[in-house]
Amino acid sequence: MADMLELFTSIGLSEQKAKETLKNGALSATLKDAIVQAQRVLGTSAMDKTIGTLLYSMASRLKDTKRLEFLTINIAQRKITSELQLAAALEFLKSRPQDPISQSEFDEACGVGIVITPEQIEDAVESVIKKHKEQLLKERYRFNMGLLMGEARSALKWADGKVIKNEVDMQVLHLLGPKTEADLEKKPKVNMLTVLQGDTGFGETKSLMEQLRGEALKFHKPGENYTTEGYVVTPNTMNLLKKHLEITGGQIRTRFPPEPNGILHIGHAKAINFNFGYAKANNGICFLRYDDTNPEKEEEKYFTAIKDMVEWLGYTPYDVTHASDNFQKLYDLAVDLIRRGHAYVCHQKGEELKGHNVPPSPWRDRPVEESLVLFERMKKGLFAEGEATLRMKMVMEDGKMDPVAYRIKYTPHHRTGDEWCIYPTYDYTHCLCDSIEDITHSLCTKEFQARRSSYYWLCNALDLYCPVQWEYGRLNLTYTVVSKRKIIKLVETGVVRDWDDPRLFTLTALRRRGFPPEAINNFCARVGVTVSQTTTEPHLLEACVRDVLNDSAPRAMAVLEPLKVTITNLAENFKSDVRVPDFPANEAKGSHTVPFTRTVFIEQSDFREVMEKGYKRLTPDQPVGLRHAGYVISVQKIIKDSEGKVVELEVTCCSSETAEKPKAFIHWVSEPVVCEVRLYEKLFLHKHPEDPSEVPSGFLSDINPHSLEVIRNALVDTSVKTAKVFDKFQFERVGYFSLDPDSTVNKLIFNRTVTLKEDPGKI
């Protein structure tokens, strides 16, 4: 085992990844053979990481191991040098399972030997930008840059995608110039769920509801399931559809079916918007159904949190159901499946069923009556865990044979207690619950496409109404992890506090950080309903947050790094009230007053003792205005401590109406509230912390040490005194902030939601 571990790490796998690989016997054997063959071709045991990564990718994806040597040689000889070429090679080999391989045809299909020069990439991108120049100039950075990437990639199939992206970015920057404040901030003001879809490149504007309404998605009409490509029609299908229509009245029915074993994350927000949104857009209904079939991992807090997040996003389930509601019915259907000859009790161990090329079960053809007796014994608790399973006689699209329908778990269920010791699996439960609830459109993410055939097979094998499964692309964000296992690791190692740590992208974390639900829904709308998987950067989500908060978060003034300023030409007891508009762009929306006295505090960064070119704020020779106060202040004296640090300024003030207009106005506070402020940055240093090619030592080694900065004694104006948890403010010139649940009567704590994203050149 140690030798194998050393062999796998020698090709660039992290120790953790190598250990995970060793758990899969078939994959380990394939990978070992590939490495040994590659070393033989190379004439050395040393190989670079590119070859190692490709060998691992090939071993984990190659189904026909007879082609292993051929493909390994091509990788070792550097004919196959990228994931793009490897994908083409696997597809080529898949289409020729029996044929002798023609090296020349293989080379042509996989782009072997093709070198794309920087000049070719430059010319291709230039051509694409020229084609869309008019629309680019009109829409600027709101144009769908993915369209440019896609067309350039089509012209240069084997080019490095990163190089193309860099060239697109450079030429777009050359054409449009740097992003302006309008590019960053000014977007059409619309209500929740009606923001624009990500630009199509042709100036189309579609709200989420428009994307989901009617025939926009080309989905089947209720009762016309058979018109969908791939849908299996049986002699009884039309009768079942007729009964289905009698029950539903032709109404669209969807469901959101999370497992209650973790907290929902940003990817689930797209699923919630798609399932609930599609029903809402078409006057249908959507169920919230908990897939509670694994009692070992389910906790009541997850049930509550999931429902809270669905409602927080603005949706109300038609009904809240549980897979466990149907345990008896599912059991009865399993008995029926055995009687029909489509299922059998198997005694293969769990480890025997893992990996590739799993041998057929020796119990596959056992008599029906025998399986019925054994399944009843499973139900009565007469087998140990892992000693028996119920398996379905079918082959899934990914080649997995006879998936498990029931397994034994001696764990009390949170709803049914000790009533059951056998529990159905996802592959068995999901489609049957959809059928029981008369779901019309079973919407799920793309990875479940491999289960579509088993979905249809099981409904038809039991002669039940069969819904239609439709797949859509997952929504992923860079600079984060969302898997339950990895978030638990982050919590257990103390990297984050809990599932709602504002540096995570769980929905509870985003709420705690201050992200409005409207902004998350708007982000999902902008991403759009796509079939392909979407990987998006957090700043696009943050832009949606700013859009909402700009109109909804009242202004306040806060100083994070205070510098005391004494206004010497005001009396010791001077005090007045200054009116500050909650929304300066629309003062009709209200205002609040803050005290103004002889002593105020400004940001340390708003004063420089030595004047620098382009600096517009306070210096000994340059006055500055105080926002909202109506005063301009000028430095008279600089007071320093024993170490030479500036600790106080003595200034004089005059009315801004009589003074020469200053170059800048700064914010300030007087008689402030002392608060704690938490400033958040990205949790990870790399875009893809789970990618071993980016982070070889694993995601825990990629933590940004500056992801959280706590300022214990920030000063905030008195308007925040009565704030409630999750209330949101714009601290002028600083950012958007939300009141954290850790706050007490004696100490308010604010989380920075997002920065203002001001023009970085503005000082």
Side-chain angles (χ1 to χ4, degrees):
M1 184 72 77
D3 291 343
M4 290 273 276
L5 184 65
E6 185 178 349
L7 182 66
F8 290 171
T9 55
S10 73
I11 66 168
L13 293 188
S14 67
E15 187 172 336
Q16 181 184 356
K17 188 68 175 178
K19 286 179 179 177
E20 289 178 3
T21 302
L22 286 170
K23 294 176 184 177
N24 187 327
L27 175 57
S28 295
T30 302
L31 182 57
K32 179 186 176 183
D33 289 346
I35 296 171
V36 171
Q37 289 173 19
Q39 290 173 341
R40 194 178 303 129
V41 173
L42 294 167
T44 175
S45 61
M47 66 179 70
D48 65 41
K49 191 174 178 183
T50 300
I51 291 178
T53 301
L54 289 170
L55 290 177
Y56 180 83
S57 183
M58 172 197 67
S60 61
R61 295 158 65 187
L62 183 66
K63 293 181 180 178
D64 185 359
T65 53
K66 296 193 299 291
R67 305 297 194 191
L68 181 69
E69 182 177 4
F70 175 82
L71 202 44
T72 299
I73 290 171
N74 278 273
I75 291 173
Q77 292 178 344
R78 299 185 186 279
K79 292 183 176 181
I80 300 297
T81 60
S82 69
E83 282 289 338
L84 193 63
Q85 286 183 303
L86 178 60
L90 291 168
E91 191 61 35
F92 180 87
L93 296 176
K94 182 181 175 183
S95 66
R96 291 162 174 77
Q98 306 299 332
D99 301 348
I101 299 300
S102 163
Q103 185 70 50
S104 60
E105 289 181 8
F106 176 85
D107 290 353
E108 183 180 354
C110 303
V112 173
I114 294 178
V115 178
I116 306 296
T117 66
E119 291 75 19
Q120 286 176 289
I121 293 176
E122 183 180 347
D123 290 345
V125 172
E126 188 177 335
S127 175
V128 171
I129 287 182
K130 184 177 179 181
K131 175 182 173 183
H132 297 286
K133 183 176 179 180
E134 183 180 343
Q135 202 66 33
L136 264 166
L137 291 170
K138 178 182 177 183
E139 298 180 19
R140 291 183 59 77
Y141 287 97
R142 287 193 236 158
F143 185 88
N144 180 14
M145 301 303 170
L147 182 69
L148 306 180
M149 279 286 297
E151 292 191 11
R153 286 296 295 268
S154 297
L156 299 171
K157 181 178 179 182
W158 304 110
D160 187 320
K162 290 182 180 177
V163 178
I164 291 180
K165 184 180 186 305
N166 290 339
E167 184 64 31
V168 167
D169 290 345
M170 188 175 71
Q171 291 198 29
V172 168
L173 181 63
H174 180 73
L175 176 66
L176 303 179
K179 288 185 179 180
T180 65
E181 195 164 338
D183 290 323
L184 294 169
E185 297 294 342
K186 302 298 182 183
K187 299 180 180 69
K189 298 297 186 287
V190 287
N191 295 323
M192 173 182 169
L193 292 179
T194 57
V195 302
L196 306 185
Q197 177 188 15
D199 293 319
T200 63
F202 302 97
E204 294 180 8
T205 57
K206 291 186 178 180
S207 71
L208 181 63
M209 290 297 106
E210 287 173 322
Q211 293 178 57
L212 298 174
R213 189 172 293 124
E215 297 182 6
L217 292 175
K218 307 301 180 186
F219 284 171
H220 69 283
K221 294 178 181 178
E224 296 183 6
N225 304 29
Y226 54 87
T227 62
T228 307
E229 183 178 352
Y231 188 80
V232 179
V233 177
T234 71
N236 199 30
T237 292
M238 301 313 290
N239 288 332
L240 292 169
L241 289 175
K242 183 179 178 182
K243 291 177 183 175
H244 161 73
L245 284 174
E246 289 172 358
I247 293 169
T248 66
Q251 185 180 45
I252 282 175
R253 290 187 169 199
T254 61
R255 80 290 168 273
F256 173 58
E259 296 177 71
N261 60 5
I263 299 295
L264 301 183
H265 55 71
I266 187 65
H268 290 112
K270 179 177 179 180
I272 291 168
N273 272 283
F274 197 8
N275 280 284
F276 282 93
Y278 181 65
K280 181 178 179 181
N282 295 282
N283 300 313
I285 59 175
C286 183
F287 295 82
L288 169 59
R289 183 206 305 147
Y290 294 110
D291 182 18
D292 58 340
T293 58
N294 188 352
E296 292 175 338
K297 297 182 178 180
E298 293 154 6
E299 295 183 41
E300 183 59 37
K301 66 178 182 180
Y302 297 136
F303 287 84
T304 303
I306 287 169
K307 186 170 184 288
D308 284 349
M309 289 300 97
V310 169
E311 293 175 346
W312 179 64
L313 289 177
Y315 294 106
T316 302
Y318 171 76
D319 194 11
V320 177
T321 62
H322 303 74
S324 57
D325 297 338
N326 301 306
F327 274 176
Q328 183 61 51
K329 186 158 192 169
L330 292 170
Y331 173 79
D332 294 340
L333 289 170
V335 171
D336 189 23
L337 197 66
I338 297 170
R339 286 200 178 107
R340 291 170 181 260
H342 296 312
Y344 62 95
V345 172
C346 175
H347 304 287
Q348 282 180 294
K349 303 299 181 187
E351 54 270 21
E352 297 177 62
L353 301 178
K354 293 178 180 177
H356 301 279
N357 303 315
V358 176
S361 169
W363 293 280
R364 195 173 200 265
D365 297 319
R366 78 185 329 159
V368 166
E369 291 304 320
E370 189 176 314
S371 281
L372 286 170
V373 171
L374 292 172
F375 189 47
E376 179 68 16
R377 293 184 66 193
M378 284 173 61
K379 178 175 179 282
K380 290 180 177 178
L382 301 179
F383 288 106
E385 285 193 19
E387 195 176 348
T389 58
L390 182 70
R391 294 176 66 184
M392 298 177 279
K393 289 186 182 179
M394 58 89 60
V395 180
M396 299 178 73
E397 289 180 33
D398 60 1
K400 182 180 177 183
M401 190 171 183
D402 294 359
V404 172
Y406 270 86
R407 72 279 203 215
I408 300 168
K409 288 183 182 291
Y410 291 107
T411 303
H413 190 274
H414 76 288
R415 297 185 74 236
T416 61
D418 294 323
E419 183 180 352
W420 297 90
C421 64
I422 56 171
Y423 293 97
T425 61
Y426 175 91
D427 288 324
Y428 178 78
T429 307
H430 185 67
C431 62
L432 296 182
C433 284
D434 280 354
S435 178
I436 291 166
E437 292 178 355
D438 276 289
I439 300 302
T440 58
H441 298 75
S442 181
L443 309 176
C444 54
T445 47
K446 193 72 174 174
E447 66 264 31
F448 291 101
Q449 186 170 350
R451 288 176 155 115
R452 192 198 301 169
S453 60
S454 66
Y455 184 108
Y456 293 160
W457 175 87
L458 184 53
C459 288
N460 290 328
L462 289 167
D463 204 21
L464 300 173
Y465 160 70
C466 183
V468 178
Q469 177 174 304
W470 291 94
E471 301 90 15
Y472 59 91
R474 286 185 63 162
L475 169 60
N476 297 315
L477 279 186
T478 54
Y479 295 103
T480 191
V481 297
V482 294
S483 91
K484 301 177 182 83
R485 182 175 58 83
K486 289 178 179 172
I487 291 177
I488 288 171
K489 271 284 185 191
L490 291 171
V491 174
E492 289 176 346
T493 55
V495 173
V496 299
R497 292 173 57 187
D498 208 336
W499 291 80
D500 65 346
D501 188 295
R503 291 166 290 180
L504 297 173
F505 280 84
T506 60
L507 294 183
T508 51
L510 296 180
R511 178 176 64 176
R512 183 168 188 170
R513 186 159 170 170
F515 282 35
E518 299 94 330
I520 295 172
N521 292 336
N522 292 348
F523 173 65
C524 292
R526 182 167 298 173
V527 169
V529 181
T530 57
V531 175
S532 58
Q533 183 167 294
T534 306
T535 299
T536 305
E537 300 213 10
H539 72 82
L540 298 175
L541 172 57
E542 291 171 359
C544 293
V545 171
R546 289 187 192 93
D547 282 346
V548 173
L549 292 181
N550 187 51
D551 285 345
S552 61
R555 277 43 171 179
M557 291 190 288
V559 174
L560 305 190
E561 295 181 319
L563 175 60
K564 183 179 178 181
V565 176
T566 302
I567 306 173
T568 58
N569 61 333
L570 292 181
E572 288 279 354
N573 61 351
F574 175 85
K575 184 175 181 178
S576 67
D577 287 334
V578 172
R579 191 183 72 85
V580 178
D582 292 335
F583 299 91
N586 183 1
E587 297 193 18
K589 292 175 73 172
S591 63
H592 59 276
T593 58
V594 297
F596 181 75
T597 67
R598 189 172 189 263
T599 301
V600 299
F601 297 87
I602 66 172
E603 292 283 359
Q604 292 177 19
S605 60
D606 282 339
F607 170 74
R608 288 188 187 173
E609 189 173 4
V610 179
M611 180 68 174
E612 296 178 13
K613 184 180 179 181
Y615 187 73
K616 298 177 182 178
R617 287 164 279 166
L618 187 62
T619 72
D621 300 313
Q622 181 169 273
V624 74
L626 298 179
R627 288 174 70 84
H628 311 298
Y631 290 106
V632 175
I633 58 174
S634 301
V635 176
Q636 303 300 316
K637 183 179 179 182
I638 300 171
I639 301 171
K640 301 181 180 181
D641 63 14
S642 59
E643 297 178 353
K645 180 183 177 183
V646 177
V647 293
E648 183 179 351
L649 301 176
E650 289 186 356
V651 305
T652 56
C653 72
C654 61
S655 170
S656 57
E657 294 180 0
T658 58
E660 182 180 344
K661 184 178 179 182
K663 291 183 178 179
F665 285 82
I666 62 174
H667 64 282
W668 52 274
V669 292
S670 185
E671 296 186 349
V673 180
V674 179
C675 301
E676 180 177 307
V677 168
R678 298 169 181 173
L679 306 179
Y680 298 99
E681 297 291 346
K682 295 182 179 73
L683 181 58
F684 295 98
L685 297 170
H686 290 81
K687 274 190 176 184
H688 307 104
E690 298 168 282
D691 185 345
S693 65
E694 276 192 47
V695 187
S697 300
F699 73 102
L700 287 176
S701 70
D702 195 46
I703 303 301
N704 176 9
H706 307 296
S707 62
L708 170 61
E709 178 187 354
V710 179
I711 299 173
R712 304 288 181 191
N713 295 298
L715 305 179
V716 187
D717 78 38
T718 53
S719 67
V720 303
K721 271 186 175 179
T722 58
K724 302 181 184 66
V725 171
F726 300 137
D727 278 357
K728 298 161 183 62
F729 299 89
Q730 184 198 104
F731 291 169
E732 295 196 40
R733 300 179 62 237
V734 179
Y736 292 101
F737 290 77
S738 178
L739 192 67
D740 189 84
D742 286 345
S743 298
T744 65
V745 174
N746 298 320
K747 189 67 174 278
L748 298 181
I749 299 172
F750 287 94
N751 295 320
R752 183 172 68 188
T753 306
V754 288
T755 60
L756 291 179
K757 194 91 174 188
E758 289 185 331
D759 183 349
K762 184 178 178 181
I763 59 171

